[in-house]
Amino acid sequence: MVKGEIIIVGDEILSGEVQDTNSFELAKQLSSAGFFIERITVVGDEQKEIVNVLLTAIKKADFIILTGGLGPTWDDKTVKAVAQALNRPLEINKEAYQHLKACLAKHGKPFLPSHEKMVLLPAGSKPLGLAFHACGFKLIFDEKPLYFLPGVPKQMNQILKAQVLPDLNIIFPNISILYKKTLRIFGISETEVSNKISSLLASFPEIKVSSLPCFPEVHLVLRANKKEDLDKLIKEIKTILGNDIFGEDTETMPEVVGKLLLKKGYHLSVAESLTGGLIGHLITSVSGSSNYFDRGVVTYSNQAKIELLGVPKEIVNKYGPVSEKTARYMAEGVKKLAKSDIGIAVTGYAGPTAGPEAEVGTVFIGLATPTKIEVTEWHFNGDRSEIKMLAAMTALDKLRRYLIL
């Protein structure tokens, strides 16, 4: 097992001003490549702290990837810290110097003394990322590869894929492939998932399974050394959880629904009240959705429901805008308005205030299909944005379950 450590440098991470996405991306890609990440450390911009963290990591890890603190400003102290920790003098790296000088000349700018900090690297460094206009570097210390990458996520990710991972694969050629599969679940809680499959998992002790609540979904991440073992467990989990599993790996609910609509040759229209266009946004976030999505209307007011969707005024007055009756007319109305095969309607109260006919979190979802109209009542918990997302995803899931029958 080849063990790596990740070090993230930056006061802005520790203060919460910037979200750390680099460690997430590094851990994901390194793990997928078969490397074991033993520790992720976040450290501020203090040179002394960077030195301590780096020296501690070198004692344990087979390789290290550090991001951040390589820039030209006064608070970027990683290069000096590396030089101090490894006892390497700083010197102008000729390759990095020529590259930066050429880049500046291309824009008609001279190489100024202030640019020197960007090409001053610890002795023995090999520049990384010059093709991406970023200067990271690699050092070998105590026969271990150490990679120092920019903190800008896009640059870091490009250098990781183009240079670091290929280099690690050359240095450690005998990494065993780790097979991984993510099952994406909607409609049941993490606890319900656990209750249903815990006894099954006990029969597969060689497979590592992680349960991750990824609102509003639950993800099961399975890792195994043998593909046949992984396939066998996946098959058995699918038998138990059935249609509660809506996708695998990076598949999203809107993508899955879109594929099913295409397969059936159906066109969809949507009438939204409390979700305010969120369902339409989710559907149209998928490339090619114009092939199956006709239109969406946001009928937030009672008058809009009456005028645009043909909901009878007496229905709204008698039962309220958040009711089974109103949702039924909305679904039927948008289907007729768009002349589509399927109409979805959502009405409810996301809070913090509600109407006289229903409590906060009460949501009615109507589904008008070529043969019938169904309305289901839901009671969601959460804040306003959570209830809106739960309503939108539940509406899509209701459509998905209809389409797979």
Side-chain angles (χ1 to χ4, degrees):
M1 180 184 297
V2 179
K3 297 181 291 185
E5 286 208 17
I6 295 169
I7 301 172
I8 307 296
V9 176
D11 285 345
E12 69 278 12
I13 302 293
L14 291 177
S15 64
E17 294 168 359
V18 175
Q19 188 173 11
D20 168 33
T21 58
N22 283 349
S23 61
F24 170 78
E25 194 63 30
L26 283 164
K28 183 176 71 172
Q29 296 204 35
L30 289 164
S31 298
S32 297
F35 298 101
F36 177 75
I37 301 305
E38 192 168 59
R39 184 172 11 192
I40 298 173
T41 305
V42 179
V43 62
D45 290 315
E46 286 300 317
Q47 184 172 325
K48 181 181 176 182
E49 292 302 315
I50 299 171
V51 169
N52 291 337
V53 168
L54 184 57
L55 290 176
T56 301
I58 287 173
K59 291 177 183 175
K60 293 186 174 182
D62 298 310
F63 70 91
I64 294 169
I65 299 179
L66 179 152
T67 76
L70 302 184
T73 58
W74 71 91
D75 58 341
D76 294 310
K77 301 171 183 172
T78 295
V79 176
K80 282 188 176 179
V82 174
Q84 179 185 341
L86 308 185
N87 195 24
R88 301 277 183 100
L90 288 174
E91 56 187 33
I92 290 180
N93 184 280
K94 291 181 180 177
E95 186 181 354
Y97 169 73
Q98 293 297 341
H99 180 79
L100 180 58
K101 189 178 177 183
C103 287
L104 289 168
K106 192 180 292 183
H107 294 87
K109 297 180 179 179
F111 187 95
L112 301 173
S114 57
H115 291 124
E116 186 175 290
K117 185 173 185 291
M118 299 177 70
V119 296
L120 204 57
L121 302 180
S125 295
K126 177 185 176 183
L128 297 172
L130 297 182
F132 310 114
H133 303 292
C135 189
F137 58 97
K138 172 192 171 184
L139 277 169
I140 298 293
F141 181 79
D142 199 16
E143 299 183 348
K144 298 178 180 181
L146 314 178
Y147 304 91
F148 303 92
L149 309 183
V152 179
K154 184 178 179 182
Q155 293 178 344
M156 186 285 298
N157 202 20
Q158 287 174 321
I159 300 171
L160 174 69
K161 290 178 180 176
Q163 293 182 277
V164 176
L165 285 173
D167 195 53
L168 283 172
N169 286 328
I170 292 173
I171 297 171
F172 303 105
N174 298 318
I175 291 290
S176 59
I177 297 174
L178 191 66
Y179 295 94
K180 176 185 170 186
K181 176 67 69 179
T182 299
L183 300 178
R184 303 179 71 145
I185 299 159
F186 185 83
I188 56 175
S189 69
E190 188 181 18
T191 302
E192 291 173 303
V193 173
S194 176
N195 289 339
K196 288 186 175 186
I197 66 170
S198 57
S199 59
L200 170 65
L201 298 183
S203 303
F204 292 83
E206 71 281 10
I207 298 180
K208 183 175 176 56
V209 182
S210 302
S211 174
L212 307 174
C214 300
F215 180 83
E217 305 166 12
V218 176
H219 293 181
L220 276 182
V221 182
L222 300 91
R223 299 180 180 84
N225 292 318
K226 295 181 180 179
K227 188 174 184 304
E228 55 269 30
D229 291 343
L230 184 64
D231 291 341
K232 185 178 179 182
L233 178 56
I234 290 171
K235 184 178 179 181
E236 296 204 29
I237 290 176
K238 286 184 174 179
T239 299
I240 295 172
L241 297 184
N243 291 337
D244 291 330
I245 299 173
F246 72 85
E248 297 182 2
D249 297 328
T250 60
E251 282 184 312
T252 67
M253 182 71 81
E255 287 174 348
V256 172
V257 169
K259 288 176 185 174
L260 290 168
L261 286 167
L262 275 177
K263 186 178 178 181
K264 296 275 187 177
Y266 285 160
H267 282 78
L268 172 69
S269 56
V270 176
E272 301 186 62
S273 186
L274 93 155
T275 45
L278 180 56
I279 298 174
H281 168 70
L282 292 171
I283 292 170
T284 55
S285 65
V286 179
S287 176
S289 54
S290 59
N291 291 315
Y292 50 81
F293 184 59
D294 185 90
R295 72 189 71 180
V297 293
V298 179
T299 50
Y300 208 65
S301 68
N302 291 350
Q303 198 61 27
K305 293 176 178 67
I306 294 167
E307 291 180 359
L308 296 178
L309 303 176
V311 181
K313 187 176 180 179
E314 55 272 23
I315 290 294
V316 176
N317 290 338
K318 183 176 181 180
Y319 298 100
V322 179
S323 62
E324 189 273 342
K325 297 283 187 187
T326 297
R328 180 176 292 275
Y329 276 102
M330 287 174 66
E332 185 181 27
V334 76
K335 180 173 175 288
K336 285 182 179 177
L337 180 70
K339 297 182 177 60
S340 58
D341 304 289
I342 295 175
I344 288 181
V346 179
T347 183
Y349 289 118
T353 56
E357 77 279 28
E359 298 177 343
V360 170
T362 302
V363 175
F364 290 89
I365 298 174
L367 177 67
T369 72
T371 57
K372 60 182 178 180
I373 302 174
E374 289 182 354
V375 179
T376 48
E377 180 177 352
W378 299 83
H379 296 273
F380 298 124
N381 294 316
D383 60 25
R384 184 175 176 84
S385 62
E386 289 171 335
I387 289 173
K388 289 175 70 172
M389 180 56 76
L390 280 168
M393 285 287 285
T394 301
L396 291 175
D397 189 53
K398 181 178 175 67
L399 174 57
R400 177 187 70 89
R401 291 174 191 258
Y402 163 76
L403 292 171
I404 58 180
L405 291 178

